[in-house]
Amino acid sequence: MSGRTTVSILTIVSLLLSDISISVYAFLTGNHNRIEHKYSSKTCPNCRSSIWETKRESLSSSLAAGNNANEMIPLRQGSTVALVTPYTPNGSINFPTLRKLLQFHVESQTDGLCILGTTGEASLMTMSERESVLKIAVEEVKGKIPILVGTGNIDPIQTREMTQQAIDLGCDASLVVSPPYIKPPQRGLINHFTSIADMGLPVVIYNVPGRTGVDVTPETIAACAKHDTIVGVKEATGDVSRVESIRGLTNTLRENNPLLLYSGDDATEGEFVLKGGDGCISVTANLAPVDMHEMMMAALRGDEEETMRINKKLEMLHNRIFCESNPIPAKWALKRLGKIDCDYCRPPLASMDDKYYPHVEEALKFAGLI
């Protein structure tokens, strides 16, 4: 055993013993803040700079990469569904329906699962709810299709907290959006993405400037691509020329392990893959998973005619499930197809305005789904 290994082991043991002593102290003194926070002290602002948090983060960083490394399933090319979260009429998560949706996608040859993203209304969930959702996802699909978890947030501390949770529960990769609203500079984005990648879970960068207010440029993606744990990009700009730009800047950096490039724009995903992309992270795949899988496979083969044939029947659906904010129309459509019992969306979202019912209905019929 090398001296360096011995020091690392001693460091971890020391941190563990220190955590135990702090927990004992908290128990004896009634200081709950030192023992309640399973993943971080975010919910108790007074703890943010505490010795507990510093030691917890240090220990997590030391161990994170190994927690589920032997079980991680590599992300794939093809159609990844941006899964909705089904609710009951009172707004609680409908776990039996969630299981059915997950089983439906395994049966439909969906190539990947993106859970707790924008479409999953993850920003409106507690950490406890996230844990319950992820446990069910792991139970239902682990080892069958890769589990990509949305862990991005405006606050890097929360992003780390959610990423650590994904590691601890056995997920395969994290989807990290650029922090919304605050418009960080490109150097800040590089630091953000690479610091999350340092935790050891494969990272897919999520670029959606329409929601975040900042574009993650191809040059920034190239800088991030030097980190081996950053494995892909979800490009939701709708600009298919980004494929060539990103490939040109990253292929020499990643000759043996190229970045996975996913389209996050349903209307252009076929063209995106024909131009050299690897697949999509799709809202449409909630409704037409078999068609989406087959279209992505055709595009990956370079079969433009078949790709366009399938896309033609989905074209109306691609557009009309965004007639209101995502996932409002997608959940109404899933209810119409009998896949979920309720199209409830958590406030400040709402169920779809009934004036759009005929438009989405027409798109479902045109796609051959009803």
Side-chain angles (χ1 to χ4, degrees):
M1 183 180 295
S2 70
R4 186 173 183 179
T5 302
T6 302
V7 170
S8 297
I9 292 172
L10 289 173
T11 299
I12 292 171
V13 170
S14 174
L15 288 168
L16 284 168
L17 291 173
S18 178
D19 278 357
I20 291 168
S21 67
I22 292 171
S23 297
V24 171
Y25 172 80
F27 177 80
L28 293 174
T29 61
N31 189 350
H32 73 283
N33 291 337
R34 296 296 184 266
I35 58 176
E36 277 191 349
H37 308 316
K38 181 174 181 182
Y39 297 107
S40 88
S41 58
K42 174 59 182 164
T43 55
C44 188
N46 292 334
C47 298
R48 281 178 73 117
S49 301
S50 66
I51 296 173
W52 169 266
E53 183 62 30
T54 302
K55 292 181 180 293
R56 173 70 73 192
E57 288 195 7
S58 178
L59 180 59
S60 294
S61 297
S62 300
L63 298 178
N67 280 1
N68 70 346
N70 294 330
E71 303 172 4
M72 285 190 287
I73 308 301
L75 298 182
R76 303 170 182 166
Q77 295 178 311
S79 172
T80 294
V81 61
L83 195 73
V84 304
T85 301
Y87 293 116
T88 65
N90 68 6
S92 60
I93 298 171
N94 189 328
F95 293 112
T97 299
L98 175 61
R99 288 187 186 276
K100 290 178 182 178
L101 289 177
L102 292 165
Q103 293 162 4
F104 171 58
H105 284 287
V106 172
E107 294 164 2
S108 301
Q109 296 183 292
T110 295
D111 302 290
L113 170 69
C114 180
I115 197 163
L116 298 180
T118 305
T119 309
E121 300 171 73
S123 60
L124 303 172
M125 288 187 193
T126 66
M127 285 296 287
S128 176
E129 287 176 321
R130 289 177 63 92
E131 180 177 2
S132 297
V133 168
L134 293 181
K135 282 181 175 178
I136 288 175
V138 168
E139 288 172 10
E140 294 292 339
V141 309
K142 181 69 176 179
K144 300 173 184 176
I145 56 177
I147 303 171
L148 174 66
V149 184
T151 65
N153 193 279
I154 192 172
D155 182 351
I157 292 176
Q158 286 189 327
T159 300
R160 291 180 65 84
E161 177 181 76
M162 291 187 287
T163 302
Q164 187 62 52
Q165 184 188 57
I167 293 170
D168 293 342
L169 296 176
C171 301
D172 300 306
S174 60
L175 179 69
V176 181
V177 70
S178 53
Y181 185 72
I182 55 176
K183 297 185 179 180
Q186 297 299 308
R187 65 185 182 279
L189 291 173
I190 293 169
N191 179 66
H192 179 65
F193 292 127
T194 56
S195 67
I196 300 303
D198 284 341
M199 297 180 70
L201 189 67
V203 168
V204 175
I205 294 170
Y206 182 11
N207 184 31
V208 56
R211 284 184 177 270
T212 64
V214 63
D215 181 26
V216 184
T217 66
E219 291 76 15
T220 292
I221 292 168
C224 293
K226 296 173 185 177
H227 198 301
D228 290 341
T229 312
I230 293 178
V231 298
V233 179
K234 177 183 176 182
E235 262 292 335
T237 59
D239 180 1
V240 296
S241 71
R242 284 292 183 102
V243 177
E244 184 179 0
S245 300
I246 295 169
R247 289 281 187 232
L249 291 168
T250 62
N251 276 357
T252 55
L253 299 171
R254 306 280 294 252
E255 289 184 31
N256 300 319
N257 184 28
L259 283 179
L260 289 163
L261 301 187
Y262 296 112
S263 169
D265 178 61
D266 280 291
T268 58
E269 58 211 0
E271 186 182 358
F272 184 94
V273 177
L274 286 170
K275 287 185 175 294
D278 293 291
C280 62
I281 298 177
S282 166
V283 179
T284 302
N286 281 282
L287 307 163
V290 173
D291 284 333
M292 288 302 305
H293 167 74
E294 291 180 352
M295 184 172 74
M296 290 295 99
M297 294 301 106
L300 287 165
R301 293 193 305 269
D303 188 340
E304 183 174 359
E305 182 178 352
E306 179 66 2
T307 301
M308 293 299 104
R309 182 192 70 78
I310 298 171
N311 191 65
K312 184 65 177 176
K313 72 174 184 175
L314 298 177
E315 196 169 37
M316 188 184 297
L317 190 62
H318 291 328
N319 290 305
R320 293 192 180 178
I321 57 172
F322 295 99
C323 62
E324 288 198 296
S325 296
N326 181 41
I328 292 172
K331 294 184 92 168
W332 184 89
L334 279 168
K335 181 183 176 184
R336 177 67 180 84
L337 296 179
K339 296 299 181 184
I340 61 176
D341 301 322
C342 173
D343 63 345
Y344 181 94
C345 294
R346 285 186 171 175
L349 297 176
S351 295
M352 191 168 73
D353 191 314
D354 57 12
K355 72 180 181 182
Y356 294 113
Y357 290 2
H359 301 286
V360 180
E361 176 97 2
E362 183 184 14
L364 292 171
K365 288 179 179 178
F366 192 80
L369 297 174
I370 54 174

